[in-house]
Structures are given as structure tokens and as C-alpha cells.
Amino acid sequence: MDVRNISDIAPVAEHNGTTPVWYMFPPGTMRDITKGGSLELINEFEIVGGGAVDPHTHPTHEFYYVLYGKGLMIIDGEERDVAQGDLVYIPPNKVHSLVASSPNSPIRCFCFAVAEPGAGDINYTEH
């Protein structure tokens, strides 16, 4: 499972040294696997304490960045604890779910996805 955390990454001075940038995926590193794809979505979502995302798949390269809270990420049966500052990469067509770790506290994530070439319309409401 590919999970990266900002605390493990040294910043790079960008924009003439005015802005520290922590590259979770440096420029160009995703170009080959997303070639011909399209930006499918950008959103923010929250799982209530004790809740979970229904296991599902779709033809996208999906990224969850944990804004706050703790959870259990499950991708194709592999499990890993995730928390604030973690970026999770979910490859296309892999069964995935996220479970809030605490019955009383939510986990909130920023998400974006790049669809595979020719993916067509994707139903995120029912699967």
C-alpha cells in the first residue's frame, strides 16, 4: 500500500525560494501511469465516527489526503492505519474502503482522482 506522510518529506524551496513545498509525488512521477487519463474529481469527504466507506472500485487513480482524524485504509485486503498528513494512493480497479478508527471521532479527507483513458461515466453514488 502506498501511503506517504509530509513528516517524512523534506521541503524544496520553490518560486525563487519564497515557498517551501513538500512533494508527495514530485513533478512528472505520475505522468506515465496517468497518461491519456483525465482529472475525474476533486472533493472533500468525512466519515462519521464508527462509519466506513462501502468497499468499491472504479477505473481511477485515486488519492486520499487525511486532513484530520484516524482511520483504517483497506486496499485489496491490505490494511493500514492512516492519520492526519497521510496521502494514500489507490490504484485503478482495486477494492478499497476507509473505516473511522474511533466510534466517536470522524476522519476527514481531501480526495482527487484521475480517470483511466476511456473510463467513461463513473457512478459514485451506487456500486
Side-chain angles (χ1 to χ4, degrees):
M1 184 178 302
D2 190 345
V3 178
R4 300 168 188 214
N5 190 285
I6 193 169
S7 65
D8 299 325
I9 299 168
V12 175
E14 295 285 349
H15 306 291
N16 297 319
T18 62
T19 309
V21 175
W22 292 262
Y23 281 112
M24 303 296 251
F25 285 87
T29 57
M30 298 295 292
R31 188 171 296 131
D32 286 343
I33 66 170
T34 61
K35 189 173 185 171
S38 59
L39 184 60
E40 172 70 12
L41 62 84
I42 300 172
N43 69 30
E44 191 170 315
F45 68 90
E46 183 172 280
I47 301 166
V48 299
V53 174
D54 193 47
H56 63 283
T57 67
H58 25 92
T60 60
H61 298 272
E62 196 167 357
F63 299 84
Y64 291 0
Y65 183 78
V66 181
L67 299 170
Y68 62 79
K70 295 180 181 180
L72 179 66
M73 188 75 220
I74 306 163
I75 302 174
D76 263 8
E78 183 180 353
E79 298 182 355
R80 179 158 172 188
D81 291 324
V82 295
Q84 183 176 357
D86 283 338
L87 176 72
V88 179
Y89 168 61
I90 306 163
N93 303 308
K94 300 291 183 183
V95 175
H96 57 281
S97 178
L98 179 58
V99 180
S101 291
S102 168
N104 303 312
S105 299
I107 180 170
R108 189 172 189 109
C109 298
F110 174 82
C111 172
F112 69 94
V114 176
E116 290 192 300
D121 292 338
I122 301 169
N123 183 345
Y124 294 95
T125 305
E126 299 172 351
H127 36 78

